[in-house]
Amino acid sequence: MLNGCPSWPKEFKEFYRKEGCWKGETFGGILRERAKGYGNRIAITSGEKNLSYAQLDKRVDQLATGFQTLGIKKEDRVVVQLPNITEFFEVCFALFRLGALPVFALPTHRSSEVNYFCEFAEAVAYIIPDKHSGFDYRSLGREAQLQVPNLQHVIVVGESEEFIGLSNLYMDPIKDEPNISPSDIAFLQLSGGSTGLSKLIPRTHDDYIYSLRVSDEICNIDQHSVYLAVLPVAHNYPLSSPGVLGTLYAGGRVVLSPAPSPDEAFSLIEKEQVTITALVPPLALIWLEAIKSRHYDFSTLKVIQVGGAKFSAEVARRIKPAFGCDLQQVFGMAEGLVNYTRLNDPEEIIINTQGRPMSPYDEIRVVDEDDQDVEPGAVGQLLTRGPYTIRGYYKAEEHNTKAFTSDGFYRTGDLVSLNSSGYLVVEGRDKDQINRGGEKIAAEEVENHLLAHDAVHDAAIVAMPDPFLGERSCAFVISRHQNVTANELKNFLKERGLATFKIPDRVEFVNAFPYTPLGKVSKKKLRQIIAEKLTSSKLTHL
Ligand code: AMP
Ligand code: DBH
């Protein structure tokens, strides 16, 4: 087992195996089996390209050989930052077969995040597209290579320039396949982070594949399912709930959308006879608006999932009439626990709750500040442990003592209420994070970047309400001199290579922060101040 990855205590491991949660499968093994069982069936459609299970399996073997010739081996970490293209899967499964670990960066991450992942994970390689969405990722490759001494290879899908071209790495399989244990770590997923930088989440073959199997059952995914991936597939939600990997596990077909816009996605739903897709709330709003003026045949579409951030009941109510399919709410986290509303739940449950845990082995507690269980139905912090929820972040010993209870429950930082039927409603958050329409921002990370500016004496970032994204970020700044502007600070953050979604949407200059009785900056008060300001400015505009 890779160093720095806390695991389940022995008795829990035995229990999850005995109960049949962990069946001893590996990702490499699954693909091999599906290729045997489904051979010519299409696994992945991307534009005009159709890749069968057998073709995928073969290309994965060839690529694994190429990676081996570069010296990539078991337990090596490889930062993978690829958009929704077939190579994402070829790369991941090739690494899985070698026992090397993908570290999943998102396409929106920039040098600040990428360099940190490469450095912290001590990655040997970094895999990128040449260009995507108007951005040239090779510039990130150059920076990473300059800044991160442990990084040996930058591998590019497309025009590789001075780097290694992925297309040159498909080689005849001549290698010995290393022995991969189902309890090995398969990859490192990212957390949205709450204190400082994103934490890395070690997920095993056993635990992740269990989550896929249960997700498939709940979402009725089988070999006839067609899953449209519109969100970036590296994210845990479209990756696994049931997402692209759940669909491949079931022998279904994954259709990759290059962008989440209705223009691309709607015609794909019709053309590819999509049965299920997954959205975040702001995207659901855009789709609802677009469907009014467009006519497509959506008769194959059975389920639209919405998750990643709180979906308002008023909007949730509009999904079924607009698209003629069921809504499923998904409340999950890359650390593990995923809650779903069930497809046959009563309408009011589907609209008003964020679902219930997917597995009977998920343990959840709703607790107060002293970790005591709250009264049934009351709001408290959600704690969880179970067969696919991690027991600790990668190389984060000290943080783990705070993020997990001594008996292994993960502190989600979500404030929830649990109703008498076991369904959860997300009521708020108890972590220093902004959820910008599903994209998570750790306040402290951005504050630290702001503090690096000469003119910034102190900074505090909070969420402000937004009708479209649910939340946007507002930076309160105490400046050292009067002439620094909001734009200057935003540009400064951009130049430091911070992902665009983390750049504060608004900057408020203040002379002092409000404090709690304990002397900490009161973010609650700051949230109130900005929310009130927004409301009153709206009123004056009426
Ligand atoms: P992460 O830990 O970065 O994977 O982000 C997971 C977090 O996203 C959860 O702990 C919640 O705060 C938030 N989240 C995910 N799905 C939902 C949802 N359906 N409703 C409200 N919040 C959600
Ligand atoms: O937001 C998330 O991280 C998330 C949402 C829905 C997730 O990880 C998931 C489902 O698996």
Side-chain angles (χ1 to χ4, degrees):
M1 174 73 104
L2 182 69
N3 281 335
C5 298
S7 186
W8 291 262
K10 189 166 165 279
E11 63 275 19
F12 280 86
K13 287 184 183 167
E14 282 169 5
F15 178 67
Y16 296 144
R17 282 199 192 99
K18 180 169 82 49
E19 293 295 308
C21 304
W22 298 352
K23 281 187 191 291
E25 295 171 301
T26 63
F27 280 104
I30 288 169
L31 179 61
R32 186 82 78 228
E33 275 179 35
R34 298 300 174 271
K36 276 192 196 131
Y38 296 111
N40 294 328
R41 292 182 74 104
I42 304 301
I44 306 171
T45 299
S46 178
E48 296 307 309
K49 198 152 98 183
N50 282 306
L51 207 57
S52 72
Y53 277 93
Q55 285 167 328
L56 177 61
D57 186 50
K58 184 164 174 214
R59 287 179 69 76
V60 164
D61 268 345
Q62 292 173 329
L63 193 54
T65 310
F67 286 155
Q68 262 185 336
T69 59
L70 290 181
I72 296 176
K73 57 181 191 311
K74 196 169 171 182
E75 293 194 350
D76 280 349
R77 274 80 62 201
V78 174
V79 174
V80 177
Q81 187 180 29
L82 293 175
N84 293 2
I85 53 178
T86 53
E87 287 85 353
F88 174 90
F89 299 87
E90 295 172 0
V91 163
C92 289
F93 277 94
L95 295 173
F96 293 153
R97 281 224 166 119
L98 294 177
L101 283 69
V103 180
F104 290 121
L106 295 170
T108 46
H109 285 140
R110 293 294 177 260
S111 60
S112 168
E113 291 89 10
V114 167
N115 291 354
Y116 160 70
F117 300 144
C118 290
E119 209 172 285
F120 185 74
E122 298 165 86
V124 297
Y126 170 42
I127 308 185
I128 47 176
D130 48 6
K131 287 184 180 172
H132 173 70
S133 274
F135 182 75
D136 191 334
Y137 284 81
R138 291 163 298 196
S139 65
L140 295 182
R142 269 166 219 129
E143 275 201 54
Q145 214 159 37
L146 241 133
Q147 304 287 335
V148 189
N150 50 271
L151 193 67
Q152 294 165 27
H153 313 288
V154 174
I155 302 170
V156 179
V157 179
E159 289 296 320
S160 58
E161 295 187 337
E162 73 266 42
F163 303 116
I164 300 163
L166 187 84
S167 58
N168 297 326
L169 294 177
Y170 294 80
M171 299 175 178
D172 279 335
I174 40 162
K175 61 193 173 70
D176 310 314
E177 231 177 81
N179 193 19
I180 311 297
S181 159
S183 54
D184 285 346
I185 305 298
F187 53 80
L188 296 168
Q189 186 53 277
L190 305 183
S191 81
S194 52
T195 56
L197 300 158
S198 281
K199 301 287 177 294
L200 301 187
I201 299 172
R203 300 290 301 257
T204 64
H205 294 263
D206 258 339
D207 91 72
Y208 212 68
I209 291 171
Y210 171 64
S211 85
L212 301 180
R213 211 167 58 239
V214 181
S215 295
D216 280 353
E217 256 168 57
I218 289 173
C219 306
N220 273 345
I221 301 295
D222 61 22
Q223 50 177 294
H224 306 294
S225 300
V226 182
Y227 178 92
L228 177 68
V230 293
L231 301 172
V233 290
H235 190 277
N236 197 61
Y237 167 32
L239 189 67
S240 69
S241 299
V244 291
L245 292 182
T247 304
L248 296 178
Y249 184 82
R253 182 159 67 100
V254 168
V255 176
L256 299 176
S257 183
S261 63
D263 282 340
E264 322 246 7
F266 287 6
S267 50
L268 280 175
I269 293 175
E270 180 177 273
K271 176 165 173 255
E272 304 294 348
Q273 309 205 316
V274 168
T275 61
I276 177 168
T277 190
L279 308 178
V280 286
L283 199 52
L285 276 173
I286 294 175
W287 281 33
L288 277 166
E289 209 42 48
I291 193 77
K292 288 183 189 161
S293 56
R294 273 169 252 202
H295 298 283
Y296 285 95
D297 178 2
F298 276 11
S299 55
T300 55
L301 191 64
K302 294 194 184 98
V303 181
I304 290 182
Q305 300 180 300
V306 180
K310 178 79 184 261
F311 197 31
S312 87
E314 290 84 84
V315 186
R317 215 176 276 289
R318 288 158 48 194
I319 294 286
K320 193 168 183 166
F323 293 97
C325 68
D326 287 324
L327 164 69
Q328 179 176 51
Q329 293 216 37
V330 193
F331 161 39
M333 50 209 74
E335 287 81 356
L337 179 73
V338 180
N339 304 277
Y340 293 105
T341 55
R342 306 307 200 250
L343 300 179
N344 56 1
D345 273 340
E347 197 70 15
E348 288 311 305
I349 293 271
I350 293 177
I351 285 166
N352 293 304
T353 81
Q354 278 63 60
R356 63 182 163 89
M358 68 164 150
S359 160
Y361 301 98
D362 283 320
E363 298 173 68
I364 57 173
R365 290 180 61 201
V366 183
V367 301
D368 63 17
E369 278 162 9
D370 301 318
D371 279 357
Q372 300 301 309
D373 292 317
V374 298
E375 294 291 312
V379 176
Q381 210 204 114
L382 177 67
L383 308 183
T384 185
R385 104 188 150 173
Y388 63 99
T389 295
I390 55 163
R391 291 302 187 111
Y393 294 103
Y394 176 61
K395 288 203 306 193
E397 223 171 299
E398 198 193 318
H399 180 68
N400 285 339
T401 60
K402 294 182 218 127
F404 295 81
T405 64
S406 55
D407 54 353
F409 279 80
Y410 167 55
R411 297 181 190 277
T412 65
D414 292 313
L415 296 175
V416 302
S417 60
L418 179 64
N419 77 14
S420 54
S421 338
Y423 282 76
L424 292 165
V425 175
V426 178
E427 310 272 6
R429 200 175 316 124
D430 188 26
K431 52 187 167 188
D432 201 5
Q433 190 182 73
I434 295 105
N435 189 335
R436 195 175 181 278
E439 292 188 298
K440 319 300 187 308
I441 304 166
E444 195 183 316
E445 179 184 5
V446 186
E447 287 160 5
N448 283 337
H449 279 283
L450 276 172
L451 284 168
H453 193 288
D454 281 344
V456 175
H457 170 70
D458 206 352
I461 299 194
V462 295
M464 56 182 183
D466 180 78
F468 176 55
L469 290 175
E471 295 175 6
R472 285 184 196 263
S473 66
C474 175
F476 283 87
V477 171
I478 302 174
S479 66
R480 289 212 168 87
H481 51 73
Q482 298 301 314
N483 41 14
V484 63
T485 64
N487 272 344
E488 214 173 309
L489 292 182
K490 290 186 194 183
N491 283 335
F492 174 73
L493 296 182
K494 223 171 266 172
E495 275 159 25
R496 285 177 73 84
L498 202 62
T500 310
F501 71 88
K502 295 182 187 170
I503 311 277
D505 292 290
R506 182 175 177 128
V507 179
E508 289 281 310
F509 291 98
V510 290
N511 293 325
F513 293 146
Y515 288 97
T516 65
L518 274 177
K520 287 203 313 188
V521 174
S522 171
K523 291 215 160 170
K524 191 172 164 195
K525 191 83 215 307
L526 288 175
R527 280 194 295 272
Q528 270 168 7
I529 291 171
I530 189 62
E532 277 162 21
K533 193 161 177 180
L534 291 175
T535 320
S536 61
S537 71
K538 237 181 263 157
L539 288 176
T540 55
H541 282 95
L542 283 179

